[in-house]
Amino acid sequence: QLSKSGKTVFAYMRRSTTKKEQASSLPQQEEGIEYLAKALGVDIGEIRAYTESRSGYENRKRPEWNKMIWEIDKLKEPCIILCRDTSRLSRNPTDNLAIANRIFGDNGQKKVIQSIYYLGTAMKIEEWNDKTNKKHIVDTLHQNYTDSMENKEKCIAGVLLKLEQGEFPYCPPHGLKR
């Protein structure tokens, strides 16, 4: 029962784009956070939630992420983070290192993240903490980052392919066809 632990609980949700294929991303993540909260005994009203939209790819600014990290760094006790899956946390190597440093207290960083809970396969609740293999955490975050970069390249290639075929790959202005 995390509610009785007195730990501050954060939730982070991120939608990569505002495109239609990502329309259900935030609601799915919210459902995942609610599932985690219920299973872990956390009052949903006590969770400090941060939500980002259009933060895909590595160089997009993440103001909500930065606010959350700032809040976490101010805490006197290590906190808990809930996320639907770890790919929502990963966006670039700098942020990946920030997560690992705050879990393990590395590189002059205070240990301010006690645990990160997320949904693994078959809705199994997974936890990362300072007892988790550091290589596993760092490798997973890095894989999330490289997957994002590959997805970006595929999106660019898809746009170029449509242009090559004479099709406008974006929603056309009202009254025009693709």
Side-chain angles (χ1 to χ4, degrees), residues 27-66:
Q28 288 174 350
Q29 290 177 64
E30 289 169 357
E31 290 169 2
I33 297 299
E34 289 172 9
Y35 180 86
L36 287 166
K38 184 177 180 182
L40 297 168
V42 175
D43 179 353
I44 199 82
E46 294 180 14
I47 296 173
R48 297 182 188 183
Y50 293 83
T51 303
E52 217 82 71
S53 192
R54 286 198 50 209
S55 65
Y57 315 129
E58 68 176 330
N59 294 320
R60 288 268 170 87
K61 293 190 185 329
R62 295 201 293 167
E64 292 298 305
W65 169 261
N66 291 330

Side-chain angles (χ1 to χ4, degrees), residues 115-129:
S115 297
I116 296 175
Y117 291 96
Y118 62 96
L119 293 176
T121 56
M123 297 293 284
K124 181 177 180 235
I125 296 175
E126 303 282 343
E127 177 185 6
W128 284 350
N129 59 41

